[in-house]
């Protein structure tokens, strides 16, 4: 039984996207991994083909499609086995801030470019000394006449090099309560005083351009405040459910892809004259791994269905984010032992997978923070 009601139209969209990715993305992934960035051109091609911001309303140049299209994009991009084309971050995490909290002028000005891929978004919360505890951020936003002046540094920012629209969290130093002092601001690429710093070299996610960002007397118009002044925390909280659900969806899709690869490998690789898949120990391992993937799929699909029906499932989504990302980490680790030495080679799939999935438990809220959220709601 399928919990999610995919229609023929959804299925056709998935097939078209899979074909597009096979032609425009997969052949280039190895090069992008070496370059540590994807070309901006691929964003425009994705936009042109209708695969960016599928949920954005038609009146702002979008496609006005339901969340299942976002699920399809997230799953199919995960199947391309790289992290650089961070479509879900753009379409399902950053752009929804503008859609939900932007003024009419902001939506008209920015959303069409987000849909076409001319605009590549990023969100800058983390600072050199501030990760999970956002209340201790020190980047400031001070009003001066018709402007807001930003000063500070951000780090670990995905799309930090390619971005030309950054949603920045900054604090009003005049407001003592940290939960009321943080606001979000839209900063356009090329604004004087806003620049990218180091392109950070990471253990995994090689094709994703993760960078430092600096704001030095960066003056933006007052109209670039996103949402209510001092409402930064509330905005971030309201969008956490979708953000973390997207992480769980990516983890399950990666796990499924890995299982396809692993089963194929075990069936087609002989050890002591017989396929690996004929060893009972290997069979048991594959069955156990597949069971976990199916548990992850069932849990995540249930949450997707509830999210579409606008239920508050933030606690279960926190559980799913930590469980599915831990699950795929364990899965790759075990897969490497099953495959043996070839798993160490870059030409096989597992080396990159091992590096990439390691990151999933850290970003979008660490898995420890997920458990803190869940324990609070469980009344512990
Ligand atoms: C690939 C990648 C891309 C990223 N992209 C972005 C981006 O686009 N924009 C952005 O703003 N940030 C981004 N980040 C940063 C990410 O959001 C932070 O790494 C994350 O919030 C955790 O912060 P930290 O790494 O500084 O860890 P810390 O918060 O310093 O935590 C260190 C350790 O302490 C634990 N810990 C923290 N607080 C508690 C607590 N109260 N109780 C128990 N344990 C706790 C954590 O779980 C962790 O194990 C990215 C990170 C990565 C790895």
């Amino acid at each position: 039984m399928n919990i999610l009601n995919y229609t023929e139209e959804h299925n056709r969209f998935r097939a078209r996207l899979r074909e597009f990715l096979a032609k425009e993305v997969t052949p280039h992934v190895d090069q992008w991994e070496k370059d540590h960035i994807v070309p901006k051109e691929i964003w425009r091609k994705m936009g042109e083909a209708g695969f960016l911001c599928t949920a954005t309303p038609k009146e702002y140049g979008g496609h006005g499609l339901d969340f299942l299209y976002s699920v399809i994009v997230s799953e199919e991009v995960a199947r391309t086995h790289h992290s650089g084309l961070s479509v879900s971050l753009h379409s399902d995490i950053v752009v929804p801030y503008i859609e939900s909290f932007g003024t009419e002028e902001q939506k008209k000005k920015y959303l069409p470019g987000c849909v076409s891929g001319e605009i590549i978004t990023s969100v800058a919360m983390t600072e050199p000394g501030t990760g999970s505890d956002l209340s201790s951020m020190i980047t400031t936003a001070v009003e001066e006449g018709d402007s807001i002046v930003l000063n500070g540094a951000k780090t670990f920012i995905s799309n930090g090099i390619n971005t030309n629209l950054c949603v920045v969290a900054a604090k009003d130093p005049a407001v003592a309560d940290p939960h009321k002092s943080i606001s979000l601001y839209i900063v356009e690429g090329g604004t004087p005083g806003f620049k990218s710093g180091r392109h950070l070299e990471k253990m995994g996610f090689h094709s994703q351009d993760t960078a430092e960002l600096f704001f030095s007397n960066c003056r933006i118009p007052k109209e670039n405040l996103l949402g209510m002044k001092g409402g930064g925390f509330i905005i971030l909280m309201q969008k956490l459910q979708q953000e973390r659900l997207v992480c769980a969806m990516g983890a399950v899709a990666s796990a499924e892809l890995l299982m396809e690869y692993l089963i194929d490998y075990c069936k087609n690789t002989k050890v002591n004259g017989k396929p690996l898949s004929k060893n009972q120990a290997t069979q048991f391992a594959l069955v156990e791994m597949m069971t976990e993937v199916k548990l992850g799929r069932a849990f995540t699909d249930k949450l997707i269905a509830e999210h579409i029906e606008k239920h508050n499932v933030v606690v279960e989504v926190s559980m799913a984010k930590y469980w599915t990302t831990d699950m795929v980490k364990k899965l790759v680790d075990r897969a490497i032992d099953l495959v043996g030495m070839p798993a160490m080679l870059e030409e096989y799939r597992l080396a990159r997978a091992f590096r990439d999935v390691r990151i999933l438990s850290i970003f979008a809220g660490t898995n420890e923070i997920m458990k803190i959220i869940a324990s609070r709601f469980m009344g512990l």
Side-chain angles (χ1 to χ4, degrees), residues 73-222:
V73 175
S74 160
E75 288 178 350
E76 292 303 317
V77 172
R79 289 179 64 86
T80 61
H81 190 46
H82 85 296
S83 56
L85 188 57
S86 42
V87 180
S88 296
L89 171 71
H90 173 78
S91 302
D92 305 317
I93 296 174
V94 188
V95 171
Y97 291 139
I98 302 174
E99 273 166 27
S100 302
F101 303 101
T103 60
E104 200 49 33
E105 287 70 31
Q106 287 170 344
K107 291 189 217 181
K108 282 193 179 128
K109 184 171 179 192
Y110 298 119
L111 292 179
C114 295
V115 177
S116 70
E118 294 298 318
I119 292 178
I120 302 170
T121 59
S122 58
V123 56
M125 295 184 269
T126 310
E127 299 186 356
T130 304
S132 306
D133 178 20
L134 286 181
S135 65
S136 60
M137 74 171 58
I138 56 174
T139 295
T140 55
V142 177
E143 281 186 30
E144 276 185 24
D146 286 341
S147 312
I148 293 157
V149 180
L150 298 171
N151 276 293
K154 299 285 179 180
T155 193
F156 305 144
I157 308 306
S158 307
N159 296 339
I161 302 291
N162 268 342
T163 191
N164 48 9
L165 187 155
C166 187
V167 172
V168 183
K171 209 175 216 175
D172 179 347
V175 180
D177 181 346
H179 293 96
K180 292 184 181 150
S181 65
I182 293 174
S183 307
L184 300 185
Y185 300 94
I186 296 174
V187 182
E188 294 178 23
T191 306
F194 169 41
K195 65 176 176 45
S196 299
R198 280 183 307 147
H199 186 157
L200 301 167
E201 279 199 33
K202 308 177 294 301
M203 180 181 93
F205 269 41
H206 285 174
S207 50
Q208 188 192 86
D209 55 314
T210 310
E212 299 170 323
L213 298 179
F214 293 106
F215 303 88
S216 174
N217 289 324
C218 172
R219 192 174 286 273
I220 55 171
K222 254 183 174 174

Side-chain angles (χ1 to χ4, degrees), residues 365-377:
T366 68
N367 283 6
E368 289 74 25
I369 297 296
M370 295 306 102
K371 290 175 199 173
I372 291 173
I373 294 171
S375 64
R376 268 194 209 129
F377 281 90

Side-chain angles (χ1 to χ4, degrees), residues 5-71:
N5 295 318
Y6 287 110
T7 61
E8 273 310 304
E9 216 171 303
H10 288 117
N11 295 339
R12 275 197 296 276
F13 178 86
R14 188 189 288 276
R16 194 166 66 80
L17 172 59
R18 199 173 274 199
E19 199 180 316
F20 173 91
L21 294 172
K23 183 164 167 257
E24 302 289 352
V25 171
T26 309
H28 307 292
V29 162
D30 288 347
Q31 188 57 48
W32 296 346
E33 286 281 303
K34 286 187 192 135
D35 296 343
H36 287 225
I37 195 162
V38 304
K40 286 185 179 171
E41 185 56 21
I42 187 60
W43 284 93
R44 284 191 285 268
K45 285 185 179 175
M46 284 285 287
E48 218 171 89
F51 298 130
L52 294 181
C53 306
T54 49
T56 300
K58 285 186 177 164
E59 59 197 291
Y60 304 114
H63 308 286
L65 298 170
D66 62 59
F67 187 67
L68 281 182
Y69 288 89
S70 300
V71 176

Side-chain angles (χ1 to χ4, degrees), residues 179-363:
H179 293 96
K180 292 184 181 150
S181 65
I182 293 174
S183 307
L184 300 185
Y185 300 94
I186 296 174
V187 182
E188 294 178 23
T191 306
F194 169 41
K195 65 176 176 45
S196 299
R198 280 183 307 147
H199 186 157
L200 301 167
E201 279 199 33
K202 308 177 294 301
M203 180 181 93
F205 269 41
H206 285 174
S207 50
Q208 188 192 86
D209 55 314
T210 310
E212 299 170 323
L213 298 179
F214 293 106
F215 303 88
S216 174
N217 289 324
C218 172
R219 192 174 286 273
I220 55 171
K222 254 183 174 174
E223 298 81 65
N224 284 24
L225 169 71
L226 182 58
M228 235 174 31
K229 179 131 197 297
F233 259 106
I234 296 168
I235 294 177
L236 294 172
M237 290 298 160
Q238 284 190 21
K239 291 291 172 192
L240 284 184
Q241 178 162 306
Q242 180 153 312
E243 176 177 339
R244 288 165 184 173
L245 183 56
V246 165
C247 284
M249 280 155 35
V252 171
S254 299
E256 288 172 342
L257 181 70
L258 267 165
M259 286 309 294
E260 282 173 31
Y261 169 77
L262 192 58
I263 290 170
D264 185 61
Y265 182 90
C266 292
K267 280 182 169 173
N268 293 299
T269 306
K270 285 189 175 164
V271 173
N272 296 332
K274 61 174 185 175
L276 265 175
S277 59
K278 294 297 172 196
N279 288 333
Q280 198 178 50
T282 307
Q283 289 172 350
F284 284 6
L286 290 173
V287 169
E288 286 165 17
M289 292 157 90
M290 189 59 115
T291 307
E292 294 228 323
V293 176
K294 285 191 176 292
L295 285 170
R297 165 59 67 191
F299 190 18
T300 308
D301 278 359
K302 169 193 168 286
L303 293 175
I304 292 169
E306 288 171 332
H307 181 68
I308 289 171
E309 285 172 19
K310 304 208 181 314
H311 292 300
N312 181 346
V313 283
V314 76
V315 180
E316 282 182 280
V317 164
S318 305
M319 292 172 174
K321 193 269 173 183
Y322 102 73
W323 193 88
T324 56
T325 56
D326 277 356
M327 178 270 289
V328 71
K329 272 163 51 182
K330 283 187 284 179
L331 191 87
V332 186
D333 195 40
R334 209 167 171 192
I336 289 174
D337 285 326
L338 289 182
V339 166
M341 179 53 202
M344 293 294 110
L345 303 176
E346 284 298 326
E347 64 203 71
Y348 287 76
R349 234 164 221 285
L350 293 173
R352 186 188 306 156
F354 185 70
R355 292 193 299 262
D356 284 359
V357 301
R358 193 62 197 80
I359 279 170
L360 302 179
S361 52
I362 301 171
F363 72 0

